[in-house]
Amino acid sequence: MPEIRVINVSKRYGDIIALDNVNIVVEDREYVCIIGPSGSGKTTLLKIIAGILEPDEGDVLVDGESVLGVPIEERGIGLVMQDVVLFPHMNVWENIVYSPLVKGLAPRIINDIGREVTDYLTLSIDKKMYPDEISRGGQQKVALARALASDPKLLLLDEPLGSIDAETAKRLRFELRKLVKDLGLTAIHITHNQEEALSIADKVVVMRKGRVEQVGKPLELYLKPRTPFICRFIGGEANFFEGHVKKRVDGHLVVELKGKHIIRVPKTDGVDGRVVVVVRPEDISIIENPVEEGIEGVVEEVSFLGAYYRIQVSTSEGTIIVKKSGRERIPSRGDRVTILFRNVYTYRYPEKGLVEAIAYE
């Protein structure tokens, strides 16, 4: 199975920069998810790897060989899209065996390939049914079976579970990963669903505004975000505070926040002067008694979101969002509380400003 290298790839549409000098390596048999806000360039990148689009600059290498100019049907790719594109005039079986059929393989071989793929996917759908007669999840499984019947060395998945109901999508995501690993395929999976990406990927690529923001293992992205944007994007919410470094003490930075509170944060290389301090809502404690290092405030709103409570606290540092599990004591609206940070990330203040640095678009 192949190693994929995307080297200095750029793509423009007039004044719109879809991809800006993108570099990615996908190792042999690796399951890579690419995530990012809408318009970040995810699908454009996938189409260039597939051969649907050609880059304006850069190259795509498969096992060290450039595939620019190579037709999509000659790239050894299985492609599954969000909008399930099955032939409506063909039944399930005819859709699945379409690729070996157009290659002119013998009927016996075509039947063997079809049976092998459907058995592996435990596809229990009546093979004589037509696409509009089966569920959305069933259609996607047929599309996947058709892709596998083409004997791909690389599987490209563009939001393959985006149009399926949540419960079916959760089940299929793990089936997808198992299939890729069992067959020894290399897979690139585009998704807007962070939970989906973090739960099944060997490696995650985060894109923003046509560029790669960070690449890493799922836990690495969460624990070691390189930029304020990653802090906001991975998890979907974060608290941002502007401040200045006042001094360094015992491997820590003493930072004065904009609202005049003094906090100690771990020392970060290259960080000094004006800074941004980022705290995830799940890394904050709420206590009832005031303490010297805490930030006092008043609870503005409490929302129950199933797995946790989302609490908004009004403070002199602005509104702070806190997430607490239902097993903890939950304050009520109007309660006076103290906020304590358990874990923080500190960054040099962005040249273009904080709003621009964390904007999705």
Side-chain angles (χ1 to χ4, degrees):
M1 295 302 117
E3 174 197 74
I4 312 300
R5 287 185 177 269
V6 176
I7 303 173
N8 301 327
V9 163
S10 295
K11 183 69 179 178
R12 298 174 183 84
Y13 298 98
D15 294 333
I16 299 173
I17 301 175
L19 295 175
D20 187 6
N21 197 40
V22 170
N23 289 273
I24 294 173
V25 176
V26 180
E27 304 288 351
D28 177 33
R29 304 191 181 200
E30 193 170 37
Y31 198 122
V32 171
C33 283
I34 302 178
I35 61 176
S38 297
S40 60
K42 305 184 297 295
T43 295
T44 299
L45 177 59
L46 193 81
K47 287 180 177 180
I48 286 175
I49 295 171
I52 298 171
L53 296 174
E54 290 289 316
D56 296 328
E57 300 169 13
D59 204 349
V60 178
L61 306 182
V62 177
D63 284 338
E65 298 290 331
S66 175
V67 292
L68 296 190
V70 176
I72 182 172
E73 62 271 16
E74 296 178 18
R75 293 193 182 193
I77 288 171
L79 185 61
V80 180
M81 310 294 284
Q82 175 178 359
D83 294 324
V84 184
V85 186
L86 296 176
F87 299 114
H89 61 287
M90 294 182 180
N91 62 31
V92 166
W93 178 256
E94 292 166 338
N95 267 283
I96 291 172
V97 301
Y98 177 78
S99 178
L101 181 65
V102 296
K103 289 178 181 177
L105 300 181
R108 180 181 58 80
I109 296 175
I110 292 173
N111 285 332
D112 288 345
I113 292 172
R115 281 198 300 271
E116 183 179 355
V117 169
T118 54
D119 287 348
Y120 187 84
L121 288 172
T122 60
L123 201 63
S124 57
I125 301 167
D126 185 344
K127 311 302 186 296
K128 295 180 181 180
M129 295 178 73
Y130 285 81
D132 63 356
E133 298 177 313
I134 60 179
S135 70
R136 194 71 175 170
Q139 290 176 19
Q140 198 63 286
K141 269 201 165 186
V142 173
L144 183 58
R146 185 177 63 183
L148 293 176
S150 68
D151 191 26
K153 53 184 178 179
L154 172 63
L155 192 60
L156 300 181
L157 307 152
D158 188 7
E159 299 279 9
L161 309 178
S163 60
I164 300 174
D165 68 89
E167 281 305 310
T168 302
K170 282 183 179 180
R171 175 170 48 80
L172 286 181
R173 73 173 66 152
F174 295 109
E175 290 184 18
L176 260 178
R177 177 179 169 84
K178 184 177 185 303
L179 179 147
V180 167
K181 292 301 179 180
D182 287 351
L183 297 180
L185 301 177
T186 301
I188 302 175
H189 178 148
I190 304 295
T191 179
H192 68 279
N193 188 322
Q194 286 187 36
E195 179 186 298
E196 183 176 300
L198 296 175
S199 63
I200 63 175
D202 298 317
K203 183 167 69 184
V204 178
V205 177
V206 182
M207 295 190 66
R208 174 177 180 256
K209 296 184 177 181
R211 292 190 168 199
V212 174
E213 189 85 0
Q214 186 171 347
V215 179
K217 295 180 179 180
L219 189 59
E220 179 185 353
L221 288 177
Y222 182 80
L223 295 178
K224 297 178 180 179
R226 292 181 184 170
T227 66
F229 173 80
I230 295 293
C231 273
R232 180 189 182 193
F233 186 71
I234 300 298
E237 201 166 27
N239 297 284
F240 294 86
F241 307 92
E242 297 181 28
H244 283 85
V245 175
K246 294 182 68 69
K247 59 182 177 179
R248 297 170 180 268
V249 180
D250 299 329
H252 286 77
L253 302 179
V254 177
V255 176
E256 181 179 17
L257 301 180
K258 202 170 183 179
K260 303 304 181 184
H261 287 90
I262 304 296
I263 63 172
R264 287 164 58 95
V265 303
K267 181 181 176 182
T268 305
D269 291 340
V271 173
D272 205 351
R274 194 178 183 191
V275 297
V276 174
V277 175
V278 189
V279 190
R280 288 196 172 100
E282 58 269 31
D283 289 332
I284 297 176
S285 296
I286 293 180
I287 61 176
E288 297 180 9
N289 302 319
V291 293
E292 184 176 349
E293 66 271 25
I295 300 174
E296 294 185 32
V298 177
V299 175
E300 287 183 332
E301 184 178 325
V302 179
S303 303
F304 177 61
L305 299 179
Y308 61 89
Y309 284 86
R310 182 182 184 275
I311 304 164
Q312 291 184 202
V313 181
S314 176
T315 77
S316 58
E317 300 291 352
T319 298
I320 297 177
I321 307 301
V322 184
K323 291 179 182 177
K324 291 174 71 71
S325 75
R327 297 183 180 87
E328 304 174 75
R329 185 187 181 282
I330 306 300
S332 300
R333 186 175 179 180
D335 285 356
R336 296 198 64 83
V337 295
T338 301
I339 296 292
L340 291 175
F341 299 153
R342 297 195 301 268
N343 185 46
V344 304
Y345 300 96
T346 310
Y347 304 93
R348 186 195 300 267
Y349 192 85
E351 291 183 8
K352 295 183 179 180
L354 180 57
V355 173
E356 171 66 20
I358 64 175
Y360 277 23
E361 297 181 359

